[in-house]
Amino acid sequence: MVSRNYCQRIVRERMEILFENAEERFEEFPELSDRYVEIARSLGMKYNVPLPRYFSRRVCSECGSFLVPGSNCRVRLVSEHGRKAVTCLNCGNIKRYPYGRDSDEEK
């Protein structure tokens, strides 16, 4: 019988591989990158493994596309609120994240 921790470790490794492939192939095949992200998210849901923060911030929560700043998303820093606003250019969804010294403590 395979332990639960073993399966979760394998799924996390597979997610990392899929996100690396999505990043490498985005310039040529953006649809393929979106498919890699979709596979990684479905693996996480199947085995109850959440996407790590650094991966989930690279995915649009509305349309599920792989976000690459300057290509299919826009990143703006809102200094008065200490937030970073990421706008998906495919669907127009806006995600806001804290940045700066306080956000490092949240990890």
Side-chain angles (χ1 to χ4, degrees), residues 18-31:
L18 286 165
F19 271 89
E20 287 173 8
N21 288 340
E23 193 166 343
E24 290 172 5
R25 291 174 176 70
F26 180 79
E27 290 298 320
E28 274 189 274
F29 307 106
E31 298 85 17

Side-chain angles (χ1 to χ4, degrees), residues 20-100:
E20 287 173 8
N21 288 340
E23 193 166 343
E24 290 172 5
R25 291 174 176 70
F26 180 79
E27 290 298 320
E28 274 189 274
F29 307 106
E31 298 85 17
L32 186 60
S33 294
D34 294 344
R35 178 66 180 140
Y36 286 150
V37 168
E38 182 182 335
I39 293 169
R41 292 176 78 187
S42 65
L43 273 174
M45 285 187 279
K46 181 175 181 178
Y47 291 100
N48 198 19
V49 177
L51 280 176
R53 180 183 295 173
Y54 51 93
F55 289 150
S56 67
R57 291 187 177 186
R58 299 285 311 266
V59 178
C60 178
S61 58
E62 196 71 28
C63 66
S65 53
F66 183 68
L67 298 176
V68 177
S71 184
N72 67 345
C73 76
R74 178 177 50 235
V75 179
R76 297 288 185 254
L77 300 179
V78 183
S79 61
E80 63 245 12
H81 299 293
R83 301 217 177 262
K84 176 171 68 168
V86 179
T87 305
C88 176
L89 299 178
N90 294 336
C91 67
N93 185 41
I94 301 172
K95 291 169 66 173
R96 293 174 183 88
Y97 306 110
Y99 72 89

